[in-house]
Amino acid sequence: MMKIIPIITLLIFFCCSQNPTIKNDNSLNSETKKFHSLLDHEWKKNVEEYPEWATQLGDNRFNDKLNDASYGKVIQRQNKTRKLLERIKDIDRSALSVEDQLNYDLFLNDVIHGIAGFEFLSYLIPISQMGGLQISFAGISNYMPFKTIKDHENYIARMKAFPKKIDQVIDRMKRGLEAGWIPPKIVLDAVPEQIKTQFDDPIEESPLFKPFIDLDRSISADEQNRLINGLKTVLQEDVFPAYRLLYDFFVEDYLPNCRESIACKDFPNGDSYYQYLIKGYTTTDLTAKEIHDIGIKEVSRIKLEMKDVIALSNFKGSFEEFLIFLRTSPEFYFETEDELLDAYRAICKRADAQLPRFFGRLPRLPYGVKAIPDYQAPASPTAYYYSGSHKAGRSGYFMANTFKLETRPKYEMEALSVHEAVPGHHLQISLAQELEDVPMFRRYGGYTAFVEGWGLYSEKLAEEMGFYDDPYSKFGQLTYEMWRACRLVVDTGMHSLGWTREEAINYMSRNTAKTGNDIEVEIDRYIAWPGQALAYKIGELRILDLRKKAEEKLGQNFNIRDFHDVVLGNGAVPLDVLEKHVNQYINSNAN
């Protein structure tokens, strides 16, 4: 899993930026200039409208402001996007270069898909156990600079603006209650505590106070005292009361009125909404039933491989008994957080050394490994990737969950590391950000089927890199692949085919070596985030099919480094576009 804004969101919110080397070329025809001008205008306008994202990109001009999260602003943005569509269609695509025709198609198709989603009021659900102000705001200091007095004053200004944003979020939640756009109650148990931890501890222990604990030495003592006292006052008088307001509303008014059902189809026009999500996340026209059947087929295939690996381990017992053995044997678990994190770092170091064998291009941006914050960990998955930024001077991070160490088995660590770090998310996302000849929305956006499909493909590629050299680690890789195959079954089962939460949990328990805690957290993630989990296996299967095709067509001319550079060379793209790129590579290298 990774923390990245979906491509649809980026297109609607930010649109894109043009290549600055093209911008001032007087030889461009009028339609190309019009297209580039539109993209440039939308970027400049929207980067101001989304100051928090601008900060993440390394643009610090608006670090004293927060995004406007009001209902009125949502509607205003939707109306602007409809007008934007008219402006895009006014451009003559045939007059653009081949490269700009691809940019045009991606931009146009995603804006159209985004507009199609306006009928679904999912923006009236701004909080879940996986995301919302109770999680995201506490991490705002992770991507803000803290060097100068102005940097710290910007941070205080953002804290000061926080109560208004809380009011906006509560207003949207109230509208959601009225419109029937409310989340399932079952997955929200962790949210009250997530909110409460943001205001219930002493100020000095708050994650919001953390960046002021050790101020830059260039700031005088008097100024440091002024800034520290100013932040304490704002936290005490503005931020903590706002969180208390959110907590009281959530516990007293919102949670009791959330729905008992879990299915996406139980939203207003829910079947259409689920199919809309499937198309957005997988970039395909597959139906829920078709994906469900693919999942069942993959589960059967992977289970046979798992049984072969069990035989190699010399374990005497049934498949179910082997799963119990893996979940309960102390030899598979670390006793301390530091041991777990150090083991992840050692795996990543081994992976780093193998990259030149498999990739012609490698990213310049470094990455690190650190623990998911305590306030977030109980409802978080096993790990996720947090994108870095060259411009912002911020490394990428493989975020590992150290909560309940007895549920974090050693045998899954290799597969997880290569998925989240290299050659998975960090390598792919960083390479995309470093592309010089594509618009910004393609550098910083992400089609989930491509991004997560590549992450899952990387888990399988790791075997060629020398990983999984014992039966337990190999079984861990297979159980992660099985986990993604099971997702196809349980996500569609719950949201379209009438499965209960308990049926989904039992299905995952029978077929994977994931621990009980992990399984429940994951199932609740699928309930809260319909369709997203389908992208992994659908994307991986397409990449594997394309590699197989390239190997068969090219024979001795096939080069793994070249193939990977083609797959990653255009950033994240829809699966049909990826197929065109690979076919071009095959045709140009065939005898």
Side-chain angles (χ1 to χ4, degrees):
M1 178 185 175
M2 52 167 290
K3 295 286 186 180
I4 186 168
I5 293 182
I7 193 74
I8 304 295
T9 308
L10 276 175
L11 283 166
I12 293 173
F13 290 175
F14 285 91
C15 301
C16 65
S17 175
Q18 59 199 35
N19 178 0
T21 63
I22 293 176
K23 181 176 181 179
N24 296 317
D25 189 341
N26 293 326
S27 66
L28 297 179
N29 63 47
S30 60
E31 291 303 294
T32 299
K33 290 180 179 178
K34 186 192 300 184
F35 181 48
H36 290 178
S37 177
L38 180 149
L39 301 181
D40 190 45
H41 171 77
E42 291 300 316
W43 174 265
K44 291 177 179 177
K45 179 187 68 177
N46 288 301
V47 77
E48 295 183 23
E49 193 167 315
Y50 292 88
E52 293 169 48
W53 178 245
T55 304
Q56 292 187 20
L57 294 178
D59 187 338
N60 296 316
R61 292 176 295 163
F62 317 106
N63 285 3
D64 59 334
K65 297 177 174 60
L66 295 178
N67 300 345
D68 187 340
S70 66
Y71 172 79
K73 196 65 174 179
V74 170
I75 302 304
Q76 183 187 88
R77 287 167 182 154
Q78 290 184 352
N79 291 334
K80 287 182 178 180
T81 302
R82 293 186 181 95
K83 293 178 180 178
L84 172 62
L85 179 60
E86 297 174 5
R87 292 164 57 204
I88 300 170
K89 289 184 174 180
D90 190 47
I91 294 170
D92 182 1
R93 178 188 181 278
S94 65
L96 304 177
S97 67
V98 173
E99 292 80 8
D100 267 337
Q101 285 181 356
L102 175 58
N103 294 330
Y104 180 94
D105 291 343
L106 293 175
F107 190 80
L108 173 64
N109 291 338
D110 286 306
V111 168
I112 290 174
H113 183 76
I115 291 174
F118 290 168
E119 68 170 290
F120 310 115
L121 309 185
S122 56
Y123 54 84
L124 299 182
I125 306 177
I127 285 179
S128 73
Q129 83 278 17
M130 295 180 59
L133 282 181
Q134 81 283 7
I135 292 175
S136 63
F137 194 70
I140 197 169
S141 64
N142 291 336
Y143 51 86
M144 287 187 70
F146 291 97
K147 294 291 185 183
T148 67
I149 292 174
K150 179 61 176 174
D151 290 339
H152 293 80
E153 290 175 341
N154 286 338
Y155 183 75
I156 293 173
R158 277 186 162 165
M159 297 297 109
K160 190 74 174 176
F162 183 66
K164 181 177 180 181
K165 194 162 184 176
I166 286 285
D167 290 341
Q168 293 170 343
V169 167
I170 290 176
D171 176 66
R172 280 162 58 182
M173 295 166 75
K174 288 179 178 178
R175 292 175 183 270
L177 289 172
E178 295 173 359
W181 278 85
I182 45 178
K185 186 184 298 183
I186 189 71
V187 300
L188 298 178
D189 287 346
V191 174
E193 187 62 27
Q194 289 173 345
I195 301 172
K196 191 175 183 181
T197 58
Q198 302 304 326
F199 67 82
D200 211 31
D201 293 328
I203 288 178
E204 290 81 0
E205 297 177 16
S206 168
L208 294 172
F209 185 75
K210 184 177 179 179
F212 278 49
I213 291 176
D214 186 17
L215 273 67
D216 194 278
R217 293 182 179 180
S218 64
I219 301 175
S220 69
D222 288 343
E223 286 290 357
Q224 288 193 23
N225 289 332
R226 179 181 68 84
L227 293 169
I228 290 172
N229 290 332
L231 178 60
K232 286 183 176 180
T233 298
V234 171
L235 292 178
Q236 187 68 48
E237 297 181 0
D238 297 288
V239 175
F240 286 8
Y243 269 126
R244 289 190 187 95
L245 180 67
L246 177 62
Y247 178 85
D248 291 343
F249 168 76
F250 193 92
V251 171
E252 296 172 9
D253 300 320
Y254 194 70
L255 186 58
N257 290 296
C258 286
R259 58 188 172 95
E260 300 295 335
S261 64
I262 62 171
C264 186
K265 68 177 183 178
D266 292 330
F267 283 119
N269 200 15
D271 284 326
S272 296
Y273 179 49
Y274 190 49
Q275 189 59 47
Y276 167 81
L277 293 174
I278 289 174
K279 184 176 180 64
Y281 284 123
T282 70
T283 69
T284 72
D285 292 318
L286 291 168
T287 65
K289 184 62 168 62
E290 288 171 334
I291 291 176
H292 189 82
D293 291 342
I294 292 171
I296 291 175
K297 182 178 179 181
E298 280 291 285
V299 167
S300 297
R301 177 188 66 78
I302 298 167
K303 197 160 192 176
L304 291 176
E305 289 192 47
M306 291 175 126
K307 290 179 177 179
D308 290 340
V309 172
I310 293 174
L312 291 175
S313 74
N314 296 318
F315 179 83
K316 306 302 180 184
S318 67
F319 182 84
E320 291 74 17
E321 288 170 335
F322 187 71
L323 297 187
I324 294 172
F325 168 64
L326 292 180
R327 291 172 184 148
T328 58
S329 179
E331 68 183 280
F332 296 121
Y333 300 88
F334 288 111
E335 295 183 358
T336 70
E337 175 179 318
D338 287 342
E339 287 178 324
L340 181 72
L341 294 176
D342 286 345
Y344 274 130
R345 294 180 181 118
I347 294 169
C348 290
K349 189 71 173 177
R350 287 173 53 202
D352 287 339
Q354 295 299 317
L355 295 180
R357 291 177 50 209
F358 295 90
F359 300 89
R361 292 182 64 249
L362 296 174
R364 299 187 301 272
L365 188 72
Y367 70 96
V369 179
K370 62 182 180 181
I372 294 173
D374 292 342
Y375 66 85
Q376 185 182 343
S380 288
T382 311
Y384 62 81
Y385 174 66
Y386 192 90
S387 299
S389 168
H390 260 301
K391 185 175 180 180
R394 185 180 68 249
S395 298
Y397 279 100
F398 166 19
M399 306 293 295
N401 201 329
T402 58
F403 176 70
K404 288 189 175 181
L405 289 172
E406 70 277 9
T407 69
R408 313 296 173 193
K410 298 176 183 178
Y411 54 79
E412 69 178 22
M413 292 176 68
E414 288 185 342
L416 186 60
S417 298
V418 297
H419 181 109
E420 302 296 347
V422 295
H425 287 330
H426 176 73
L427 185 142
Q428 180 266 310
I429 293 169
S430 297
L431 282 176
Q433 291 181 2
E434 294 171 13
L435 292 173
E436 296 180 353
D437 298 322
V438 300
M440 293 290 277
F441 80 89
R442 290 179 56 193
R443 298 186 209 177
Y444 289 95
Y447 294 91
T448 312
F450 182 99
V451 175
E452 296 296 358
W454 175 262
L456 185 49
Y457 168 81
S458 296
E459 294 178 26
K460 187 162 289 188
L461 178 65
E463 187 161 19
E464 299 175 55
M465 299 170 66
F467 289 94
Y468 319 134
D469 58 358
D470 68 79
Y472 300 114
S473 290
K474 178 57 183 175
F475 195 87
Q477 180 262 316
L478 287 173
T479 205
Y480 262 62
E481 187 178 7
M482 175 68 92
W483 171 29
R484 277 48 170 263
C486 287
R487 285 175 168 181
L488 303 185
V489 180
V490 300
D491 194 289
T492 54
M494 289 188 295
H495 290 299
S496 181
L497 303 177
W499 284 33
T500 65
R501 178 176 180 269
E502 288 69 30
E503 286 176 310
I505 289 172
N506 290 337
Y507 186 87
M508 190 78 80
S509 298
R510 289 196 307 271
N511 290 292
T512 77
K514 300 290 287 181
T515 60
N517 176 76
D518 265 5
I519 289 172
E520 291 191 20
V521 169
E522 285 297 322
I523 293 300
D524 288 345
R525 168 188 164 188
Y526 311 151
I527 293 172
W529 202 356
Q532 190 270 352
L534 306 177
Y536 296 65
K537 199 63 171 138
I538 298 300
E540 181 227 21
L541 289 174
R542 183 67 62 88
I543 295 172
L544 287 172
D545 285 345
L546 292 173
R547 176 172 169 178
K548 181 180 179 182
K549 179 180 180 180
E551 289 174 333
E552 292 175 349
K553 295 285 186 180
L554 296 180
Q556 292 183 343
N557 289 338
F558 177 80
N559 182 294
I560 189 63
R561 298 168 84 235
D562 292 343
F563 173 77
H564 288 153
D565 288 351
V566 168
V567 172
L568 300 179
N570 291 279
V573 294
L575 297 182
D576 59 337
V577 175
L578 174 63
E579 186 168 358
K580 291 178 183 178
H581 291 159
V582 173
N583 286 338
Q584 290 169 356
Y585 156 72
I586 292 172
N587 293 334
S588 63
N589 287 276
N591 290 325

